[in-house]
């Protein structure tokens, strides 16, 4: 939520500060696109040069074309997802203080801003926006006047703020410096040669460097062209952790596709394959990426609680079926924001599994901390290296989906399922629920899935056609059973967020307990049909559900596996997927639903990469 970029460096044609920041904002726009702005400092400027505009980044670029800014040596930029104050020019960041000598940008929510604002107004400070950020900007201005030291001023401000924040500041009198602070909100450092970068995530500077520093909680960072200095809120010097990003700028580009969403849907075979790669040690046993818990503790676990939000929670829901089946440990799946406030029963023998693409979702992070406070161990399944959730977890299993830029999640979802399955098999190995050859056989089934996903993608012509025909549909229902149930929920979520169509997913068995009342002539219903080769009666039960809704006029669109000879007679349309074991089927059945949602949204002329009101990384509660 909100993208932040900071840059200090030489004014080379390749790295003009304004261009670096605008390019970074382009890559971070998925974090929020209600407004965008930049602030620049240069030795020849007495005050900050700034531009800001409501709406997408393109509006800011038009403004800059019409009213160019002077070149600079330090620059900060912001793309906003509005919280306090609507998406207007005046509420866009940066916010200025000290008569335009100081500029601040912010991600997060300052909970005590009202109190600070009232105190500052009593001291005669005039506010021009409705944002919480402006309070931080004026406070920083006052602190700076006390010491003339921007880093020290930032530290003093950070200690006075409550809530969550990443703040970046530039001051006209220090045109070679950007200072940042982070508390429960992301900020990473990019290391260059005679130039340095700050970003909400590495996408901000990936075109320039893959060398990065991970900042901890409650730290202040000061970058100049030749140095990075980090202190904590107590003023002590901190040595940040260095890492090299394992993807490059090309991975975060559309590569000829009409949208990031279309590319990321097609990336899914690779995302799953990469997630499965290199997971065993020399003995052939499964290993986690970063294990900071004693294995003996994991052997005593008597309950797993999966916490996540949105699509990641549906991946957890799928994994519940597999982990319970393989390991005979009860698995609960809970939305992170509900878990935290429900007084859940958590003991030292509870293992919490946090799933998150971004590794920064505030609801999930807070739930991780809540679980740890109660003595639970936390293993996270995360896609983004250098993010907060893996750093705070007791162990990590990274998904290797590569950068996911489209706001709605696709390739992260399938790789989360693959990683959660690896975790389930790791437990089965550790606890001796399965013999090594049984685990190897399931791993082999998993490794077959990328090719089957490719095959499913190759068959997408018909679903695209149907999606285009259905562009004016106002409601679509999704039914599934067993692992097909979370897929129905995810299919409905994709359609809601991409095409703004009313969509609901149901457990097929629940139909007769209420939702069947929604069926009226012509109502489109997707049905995820379990394999006829799988658990005995499930298939026939779902075939009966299809008949029940069809009898009431529904238009049935089935997703079924090759060789299902019964389904065709009852469905209006069948989208076929290759045969695979039941527990593997979610990796295939979700594909036509993702494509349906993306194509239908595209046919309606909507922006599938940046749907309205959403942001990719939800770093506020
Ligand atoms: C939906 C979607 C969201 C995210 C959710 C959690 O397409 O992308 O529902 O899955 O906001 O985000 P992460 O996985 O980053 O914690």
């Amino acid at each position: 939520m909100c993208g932040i970029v900071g840059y200090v460096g030489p004014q080379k044609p390749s790295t003009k500060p304004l261009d670096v920041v605008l390019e970074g904002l382009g890559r971070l726009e998925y974090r929020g696109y209600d407004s965008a702005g930049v602030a620049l400092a240069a030795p020849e400027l007495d005050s900050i040069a700034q531009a800001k505009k409501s709406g997408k980044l393109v509006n800011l670029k038009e403004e800059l074309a019409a009213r160019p800014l002077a070149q600079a040596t330090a620059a900060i930029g912001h793309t906003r997802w509005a919280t306090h104050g609507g998406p207007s020019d005046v509420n866009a960041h940066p916010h200025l203080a000290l008569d335009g000598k100081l500029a601040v940008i912010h991600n997060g929510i300052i909970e005590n801003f009202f109190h600070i604002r009232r105190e500052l107004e009593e001291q005669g400070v005039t506010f021009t926006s409705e944002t919480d950020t402006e309070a931080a900007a004026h406070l920083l201005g006052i602190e700076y006047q006390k010491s003339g030291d921007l880093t020290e001023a930032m530290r003093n401000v950070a200690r006075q703020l409550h809530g969550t924040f990443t703040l970046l500041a530039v001051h006209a009198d220090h045109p070679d410096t950007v200072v940042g602070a982070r508390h429960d909100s992301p900020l990473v450092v990019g290391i260059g040669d005679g130039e340095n970068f700050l970003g909400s995530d590495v996408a901000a500077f990936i075109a320039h460097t893959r060398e990065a520093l991970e900042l901890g909680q409650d730290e202040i960072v000061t970058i100049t062209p030749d140095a990075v200095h980090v202190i904590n809120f107590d003023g002590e010097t901190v040595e940040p952790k260095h890492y090299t990003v394992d993807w490059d700028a090309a991975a975060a580009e559309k590569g000829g596709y009409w949208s990031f969403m279309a590319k990321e849907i097609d990336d899914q075979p690779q995302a799953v394959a990469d997630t499965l790669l290199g997971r065993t040690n020399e003995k052939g046993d499964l290993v986690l990426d970063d294990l900071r818990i004693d294995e003996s503790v994991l052997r005593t676990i008597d309950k797993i609680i999966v916490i996540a939000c949105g699509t990641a929670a549906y991946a957890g829901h799928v994994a519940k079926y597999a982990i319970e089946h393989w390991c005979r440990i009860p698995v609960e799946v809970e939305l992170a924001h509900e878990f935290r406030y429900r007084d859940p029963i958590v003991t030292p023998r509870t293992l919490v599994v946090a799933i998150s693409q971004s590794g920064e979702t505030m609801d999930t992070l807070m739930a991780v901390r809540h679980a740890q406070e109660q003595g639970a161990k936390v293993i996270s399944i995360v896609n983004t290296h250098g993010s907060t959730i893996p750093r705070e977890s007791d162990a990590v299993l990274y998904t290797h989906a590569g950068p996911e830029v489209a706001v709605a999640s696709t390739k992260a979802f399938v790789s989360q399922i693959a990683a959660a399955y690896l975790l389930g098999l790791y437990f089965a190995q550790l606890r001796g629920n399965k013999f090594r050859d049984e685990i190897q056989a399931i791993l082999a089934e998993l490794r077959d899935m990328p090719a089957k996903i490719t095959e499913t993608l190759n068959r997408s012509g018909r679903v695209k056609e149907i999606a285009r025909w259905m562009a004016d549909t106002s409601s679509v229902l999704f039914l599934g059973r067993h692992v097909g149930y979370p897929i129905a929920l995810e299919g409905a979520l994709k359609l809601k967020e991409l095409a703004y169509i009313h969509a609901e997913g149901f457990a097929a068995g629940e139909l007769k307990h209420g939702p069947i009342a929604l069926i009226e002539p012509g109502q489109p219903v997707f049905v995820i049909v379990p394999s006829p080769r799988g658990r005995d009666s499930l298939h026939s039960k779902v075939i009966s559900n299809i008949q029940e809704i069809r009898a009431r006029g529904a238009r049935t669109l089935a997703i079924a596996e090759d060789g299902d000879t019964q389904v065709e007679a009852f469905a209006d349309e069948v989208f076929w997927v290759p045969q695979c074991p039941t527990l593997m089927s979610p990796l295939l059945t979700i594909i036509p639903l993702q494509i349906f949602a993306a194509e239908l949204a595209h046919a309606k002329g909507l922006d599938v990469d940046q749907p309205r009101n959403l942001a990719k990384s939800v770093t506020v509660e």
Side-chain angles (χ1 to χ4, degrees):
M1 222 148 255
C2 296
I4 283 192
V5 190
Y7 174 77
V8 281
Q11 197 177 310
K12 297 186 282 195
S14 58
T15 50
K16 289 189 174 153
L18 177 59
D19 298 345
V20 172
V21 164
L22 287 176
E23 203 248 359
L25 288 181
R27 291 182 193 277
L28 293 187
E29 203 180 14
Y30 64 83
R31 299 180 73 95
Y33 27 89
D34 288 333
S35 63
V38 289
L40 310 176
E44 55 276 13
L45 293 177
D46 291 336
S47 58
I48 296 293
Q50 68 138 344
K52 53 188 192 172
K53 230 30 213 163
S54 64
K56 292 195 174 179
L57 184 59
V58 63
N59 296 359
L60 174 68
K61 287 184 176 168
E62 279 168 12
E63 167 81 0
L64 287 166
R67 201 176 55 85
L69 297 181
Q71 278 305 333
T73 44
I76 56 176
H78 187 266
T79 175
R80 179 170 188 242
W81 187 83
T83 57
H84 290 59
S88 61
D89 286 358
V90 81
N91 287 332
H93 300 207
H95 290 281
L96 300 184
L98 299 179
D99 296 326
K101 281 182 102 57
L102 176 74
V104 171
I105 55 177
H106 164 225
N107 174 26
I109 292 179
I110 297 167
E111 285 168 2
N112 57 338
F113 91 98
F114 189 69
H115 170 75
I116 295 171
R117 179 173 178 143
R118 214 176 37 210
E119 280 193 353
L120 292 175
E121 281 174 336
E122 277 165 18
Q123 291 168 33
V125 176
T126 308
F127 279 73
T128 54
S129 78
E130 303 153 280
T131 64
D132 48 347
T133 310
E134 196 182 350
H138 290 305
L139 196 58
L140 185 65
I142 289 168
E143 289 294 337
Y144 176 80
Q145 281 176 318
K146 291 181 191 163
S147 62
D149 180 333
L150 197 54
T151 304
E152 188 54 19
M154 184 65 98
R155 188 172 81 83
N156 288 335
V157 168
R159 287 155 64 101
Q160 294 174 54
L161 302 181
H162 302 162
T164 61
F165 53 87
T166 302
L167 293 168
L168 293 194
V170 281
H171 191 292
D173 293 348
H174 306 277
D176 61 348
T177 304
V178 177
V179 175
R182 76 163 289 210
H183 170 70
D184 284 345
S185 186
L187 184 63
V188 286
V189 184
I191 304 296
D193 183 11
E195 57 186 356
N196 285 308
F197 308 79
L198 293 170
S200 301
D201 63 56
V202 295
F205 46 74
I206 194 69
H208 306 278
T209 180
R210 289 166 63 184
E211 302 310 313
L213 298 177
E214 209 176 285
L215 293 177
Q217 272 319 328
D218 296 350
E219 289 179 355
I220 308 286
V221 57
T222 305
I223 60 167
T224 58
D226 301 310
V228 175
H229 186 226
V230 183
I231 55 172
N232 60 24
F233 284 6
D234 292 329
E236 296 152 348
T237 298
V238 174
E239 210 47 64
K241 190 171 154 202
H242 177 268
Y243 66 104
T244 303
V245 183
D246 61 1
W247 50 273
D248 59 15
E253 271 150 25
K254 285 188 200 160
Y257 281 86
W258 60 271
S259 62
F260 280 108
M261 166 72 40
K263 172 176 181 282
E264 288 162 10
I265 287 174
D266 268 8
D267 280 348
Q268 293 184 105
Q270 198 60 50
V272 171
D274 289 349
T275 298
L276 298 176
L277 210 65
R279 293 301 184 173
T280 45
N281 62 18
E282 57 290 347
K283 288 191 278 171
D285 291 335
L286 281 164
V287 284
L288 298 189
D289 291 321
D290 198 354
L291 184 64
R292 287 161 255 155
I293 324 175
D294 205 316
E295 289 194 346
S296 62
V297 175
L298 292 177
R299 279 194 199 94
T300 64
I301 293 304
D302 61 7
K303 180 169 77 172
I304 293 177
I305 306 179
V306 177
I307 49 170
C309 300
T311 292
Y314 296 143
H317 209 136
V318 170
K320 169 186 166 77
Y321 290 86
I323 299 175
E324 287 190 339
H325 179 66
W326 293 329
C327 309
R328 312 309 301 151
I329 310 176
V331 179
E332 293 170 14
V333 183
E334 181 134 26
L335 294 169
H337 33 92
E338 287 298 317
F339 170 84
R340 186 179 171 206
Y341 293 103
R342 185 180 56 88
D343 194 13
I345 299 170
V346 173
T347 73
R349 295 181 70 186
T350 308
L351 177 74
V352 167
V353 176
I355 306 181
S356 175
Q357 188 287 128
S358 60
E360 297 292 354
T361 298
M362 187 53 66
D363 290 316
T364 309
L365 175 62
M366 291 302 168
V368 164
R369 290 183 184 164
H370 185 59
Q372 285 173 327
E373 277 160 18
Q374 296 184 49
K377 296 290 178 205
V378 176
I379 296 186
S380 57
I381 294 177
V382 171
N383 195 40
T384 309
H385 284 252
S387 57
T388 308
I389 291 172
R391 206 186 34 248
E392 297 201 7
S393 303
D394 300 290
V396 188
L397 190 60
Y398 283 105
T399 51
H400 294 295
E404 193 180 62
V405 178
V407 166
S409 195
T410 53
K411 63 176 177 172
F413 177 67
V414 289
S415 49
Q416 283 160 351
I417 294 174
Y421 279 17
L422 288 173
L423 188 63
L425 293 172
Y426 169 80
F427 282 125
Q429 162 189 295
L430 196 70
R431 299 160 63 92
N433 301 94
K434 292 225 172 285
F435 293 114
R436 185 179 274 164
D437 57 342
E438 290 175 303
I439 293 175
Q440 293 303 326
I442 301 170
L443 277 175
E445 290 170 3
L446 259 176
R447 290 191 187 112
D448 283 346
M449 294 314 291
K452 293 186 183 193
I453 298 173
T454 303
E455 171 65 26
T456 309
L457 288 165
N458 290 343
R459 299 177 183 186
S460 60
R462 183 68 182 154
V463 74
K464 288 183 183 166
E465 216 171 9
I466 299 272
R468 290 193 286 266
W469 289 345
M470 287 174 63
D472 54 3
T473 304
S474 57
S475 161
V476 182
L477 304 181
F478 296 76
L479 299 182
R481 206 162 177 143
H482 192 257
V483 284
Y485 169 39
I487 295 304
L489 299 174
E490 171 62 3
L493 177 59
K494 286 285 95 76
L495 194 59
K496 280 183 243 196
E497 60 185 344
L498 294 181
Y500 319 150
I501 287 179
H502 169 254
E504 288 212 52
F506 299 106
E510 191 66 8
L511 198 65
K512 55 192 175 299
H513 299 289
I516 198 161
L518 290 170
I519 306 294
E520 53 186 39
Q523 169 69 53
V525 185
F526 273 93
V527 185
I528 297 130
V529 183
S531 165
R533 301 167 306 110
R535 195 174 272 191
D536 15 321
S537 53
L538 263 189
H539 177 261
S540 51
K541 293 263 175 0
V542 173
I543 295 287
S544 301
N545 293 145
I546 297 180
Q547 293 177 68
E548 286 154 16
I549 53 173
R550 215 176 173 206
R552 288 160 178 85
R555 180 152 177 253
T556 52
L557 305 140
I559 298 174
E561 77 164 31
D562 291 344
D564 183 339
T565 48
Q566 292 176 50
V567 70
E568 233 169 350
F570 303 111
D572 294 300
E573 191 70 49
V574 184
F575 305 109
W576 298 104
V577 296
Q579 290 188 351
C580 68
T582 297
L583 287 173
M584 302 296 153
S585 63
L587 296 171
L588 303 184
T589 51
I590 190 56
I591 307 286
L593 299 181
Q594 295 168 337
I595 293 171
F596 177 77
E599 282 296 318
L600 198 149
H602 191 41
K604 286 177 76 173
L606 301 174
D607 183 342
V608 298
D609 287 338
Q610 295 179 345
R612 70 182 178 202
N613 304 337
L614 298 178
K616 185 140 191 82
S617 198
V618 186
T619 53
V620 293
E621 270 190 276

